Amino acid sequence: MNWKLFFLFPCFACGLIAQDLQTRIVARPAVDITKNLYVTTWIIGNARLNTTNNINIFPGVGYRTKNWWFEGLVQRQWSRAGNQWMLDFRFQTKIGEQSTLYIELSPFITRKGFYEFVIYERRMWKRLNVGVETENIHRPGLDTIGGGPRVSYPIATFGKVKLTTALAYRMHRRERDLVRLYVVFSRK
């Protein structure tokens, strides 16, 4: 058996038993101001099978170099559970030639709380990446803590727009586990 398939099998097997399927569609247009400085807006839709859907818009500014980028954003979220405002800080860096680390930290403005999202991926074969992700919400009372394996694959590039898909399985301590399918359109 190919060792790469050994890594991928648990992700797909977990997907079969997950309790809350989620599809996340992400668009991230950006316009350069200078060589390194740009304005951007993230638009993220979360469609979930069993829990509340939401849509998020994050306008802000970013700074990028060859190996890393940082963005400071203001987030507006709409959902049936309630609408809210947050600050949002995103950072991504290359670690060596094969790995990337993405960190998102988001203090809430309209409610008490703090959100964090971290992805670590390593290229395993050609363009296939394998990694882990964790998504946590800290608020008064019970925190939401979840994490698990993920795989991603860049499908195509159209000019300066890159299309990538990813599949993640996240286990949660006190909530439903979920499988998240990402479809990401981003500027290279």
Side-chain angles (χ1 to χ4, degrees), residues 35 37 57 63 73 81 87 122 129 159 176:
K35 178 183 172 189
L37 192 63
I57 297 178
Y63 186 86
L73 310 155
L87 296 176
R122 181 167 176 81
N129 300 296
R176 297 174 184 259

Side-chain angles (χ1 to χ4, degrees), residues 22-43:
Q22 179 180 14
T23 299
R24 179 174 270 195
I25 298 175
V26 180
R28 180 187 173 213
V31 175
D32 290 339
I33 297 172
T34 67
K35 178 183 172 189
N36 300 98
L37 192 63
Y38 58 96
V39 293
T40 189
T41 299
W42 289 73
I43 303 162

Side-chain angles (χ1 to χ4, degrees), residues 70-160:
F70 173 81
E71 295 176 349
L73 310 155
V74 176
Q75 178 183 0
R76 175 73 162 131
Q77 182 182 80
W78 293 272
S79 75
R80 285 184 312 195
N83 304 323
Q84 62 181 330
W85 289 91
M86 296 172 261
L87 296 176
D88 195 83
F89 304 99
R90 296 172 180 224
F91 173 76
Q92 183 169 313
T93 187
K94 290 172 88 176
I95 301 171
E97 293 296 317
Q98 304 289 324
S99 300
T100 59
L101 175 66
Y102 171 82
I103 300 171
E104 179 180 350
L105 304 172
S106 196
F108 295 5
I109 296 173
T110 53
R111 298 181 183 156
K112 291 182 180 180
F114 188 81
Y115 170 86
E116 64 190 52
F117 183 61
V118 178
I119 298 171
Y120 172 79
E121 287 188 328
R122 181 167 176 81
R123 189 170 56 237
M124 299 302 286
W125 179 69
K126 294 189 180 183
R127 294 185 295 168
L128 181 69
N129 300 296
V130 175
V132 295
E133 75 175 44
T134 180
E135 184 175 38
N136 308 304
I137 302 173
H138 307 282
R139 56 186 160 228
L142 275 150
D143 290 345
T144 301
I145 308 291
R150 70 179 266 132
V151 294
S152 70
Y153 188 80
I155 295 175
T157 300
F158 309 99
K160 292 187 176 185

